[in-house]
Amino acid sequence: MDWTADDISDQEGRRIVVTGANSGIGLEATRELARNGATVIMACRSVDRGEEAANDICADIPDADLRVEACDLGSLESIHAFADRLGDTDLDVLINNAGVMAIPRSETADGFEAQFGVNHLGHFALTGLLLENFHPHDASESRIVTVSSGVHERGEIDFGDLQHEQSYDPWDAYAQSKLANVLFAYELERRLLTAAATAKSIAVHPGYANTQLQFRGPEQRGSRLWKTAMWMMNTVLAQPAAMGALPTLYAATAPEAEGGAYYGPGGVMNMRGTPERQASSDRSYDEGTARRLWAVSSDLTGVTYDLPEPKAEVSA
């Protein structure tokens, strides 16, 4: 399909939370959602950077309805505080987008390996705390969109060393966290279906998009060589961030987007192009791994979901 941002339906009256909304895929998704009338709550680690991004959007879209809120996915305290500030605010869509990629090993405020903690556990906790805000059993359809990566295909969930304390490779840790994103999205969909909920859980990936995400690892390692190499690769191979945001926007707004699906760019090597439904890795469909990861994630974060054990299947 040749779906673009021009195909976004009217979003007037919809309230959407976007994590990591101040840059990259999150910024471009926020821009297009606001352009089409949505109220967007920009959940950002830095309020200052969030306000700068909001001002940039408003310069382009003067009537954009934006609200910047602090939410550090690397801190359960910050996530709880964000959810508390929202209170019983009605929500229509949550876009779990914020993330870090291939950084040197570090830990979150709660002692989790940073990539697993931010990319997966933070979003697991946030989704659980906000789930009832989406009125998942009402007639109006709500959506939880979780942004993964094609790199999830090399990922494995190492329950014996989930926090990579025994050995650490930045790309292996990133791949594990991105596989966890897909496993979570599918498991959430199964539980929603089992509960006869109208809410949908959808996984997406942006392909290879030109964002600042690729530079975080080289910058934290202090490697000018790798930073230059990333700049060259982004310049030559990557598609613009606005294109990378299309699978996210499709999953969040397209009436035909399906729960339990995985959407990404349909062009060369699934790295660029307009969105299409795709199959994720074989490991991502392992229901035993997904259920175990769910239980571990709940134990680690202390967040539980008012959803039954899954009976419904999610297929490729």
Side-chain angles (χ1 to χ4, degrees):
M1 57 186 171
D2 294 321
W3 193 93
T4 71
D6 292 336
D7 296 305
I8 296 174
S9 58
D10 182 15
Q11 299 297 298
E12 192 72 34
R14 300 187 91 204
R15 189 175 287 112
I16 300 173
V17 174
V18 182
T19 68
N22 60 280
S23 65
I25 301 302
L27 175 60
E28 297 306 321
T30 298
R31 188 189 309 277
E32 295 306 324
L33 291 167
R35 192 189 309 279
N36 288 276
T39 295
V40 184
I41 300 171
M42 303 172 66
C44 304
R45 185 169 63 89
S46 166
V47 171
D48 288 344
R49 288 197 290 272
E51 294 286 1
E52 289 176 7
N55 290 337
D56 175 70
I57 293 172
C58 288
D60 180 30
I61 310 163
D63 60 348
D65 188 358
L66 304 173
R67 170 180 165 186
V68 178
E69 288 282 352
C71 184
D72 182 353
L73 274 297
S75 165
L76 290 173
E77 181 181 5
S78 178
I79 294 166
H80 276 271
F82 172 72
D84 288 344
R85 288 196 303 276
L86 291 190
D88 58 0
T89 301
D90 292 336
L91 300 174
D92 297 284
V93 180
L94 169 62
I95 297 177
N96 289 322
N97 164 79
V100 292
M101 183 177 81
I103 59 174
R105 192 184 187 284
S106 60
E107 294 184 351
T108 68
D110 304 288
F112 306 135
E113 185 276 313
Q115 297 193 81
F116 188 69
V118 171
N119 297 352
H120 169 61
L121 291 175
H123 285 122
F124 177 91
L126 179 64
T127 305
L129 292 172
L130 295 181
L131 189 63
E132 290 307 311
N133 294 66
F134 297 96
H135 303 286
H137 297 282
D138 288 358
S140 59
E141 181 189 290
S142 54
R143 301 183 186 188
I144 295 97
V145 179
T146 301
V147 182
S148 182
S149 164
V151 179
H152 89 275
E153 294 181 8
R154 68 175 272 184
E156 296 184 58
I157 305 298
D158 184 358
F159 288 106
D161 189 21
L162 204 55
Q163 309 294 343
H164 289 271
E165 297 170 305
Q166 299 170 27
S167 64
Y168 183 79
D169 175 89
W171 284 104
D172 286 346
Y174 179 66
Q176 174 181 255
S177 73
K178 293 287 101 178
L179 174 58
N181 288 154
V182 186
L183 286 162
F184 164 65
Y186 291 167
E187 180 70 3
L188 177 57
E189 175 68 8
R190 283 188 288 267
R191 290 173 184 246
L192 290 168
L193 286 173
T194 303
T198 56
K200 293 181 180 179
S201 173
I202 305 171
V204 301
H205 76 95
Y208 187 1
N210 188 357
T211 72
Q212 289 299 307
L213 186 65
Q214 291 92 341
F215 296 103
R216 305 265 170 79
E219 286 172 351
Q220 291 190 26
R221 289 193 295 269
S223 174
R224 292 184 179 180
L225 178 62
W226 275 108
K227 189 174 181 179
T228 300
M230 283 296 183
W231 177 83
M232 293 177 65
M233 291 175 65
N234 276 17
T235 301
V236 175
L237 299 176
Q239 63 179 346
M243 285 294 295
L246 290 182
T248 296
L249 289 165
Y250 179 84
T253 68
E256 63 271 24
E258 300 177 85
Y262 176 69
Y263 294 99
V268 178
M269 298 178 66
N270 296 333
M271 291 173 59
R272 57 194 306 123
T274 54
E276 68 173 14
R277 180 165 182 168
Q278 298 171 350
S280 51
S281 71
D282 290 345
R283 291 190 185 100
S284 70
Y285 295 104
D286 188 323
E287 295 186 24
T289 298
R291 192 173 299 191
R292 183 178 178 186
L293 177 65
W294 185 283
V296 169
S297 300
S298 184
D299 288 343
L300 289 172
T301 63
V303 174
T304 58
Y305 286 61
D306 186 19
L307 291 173
E309 289 288 314
K311 296 179 181 178
E313 295 183 357
V314 173
S315 58

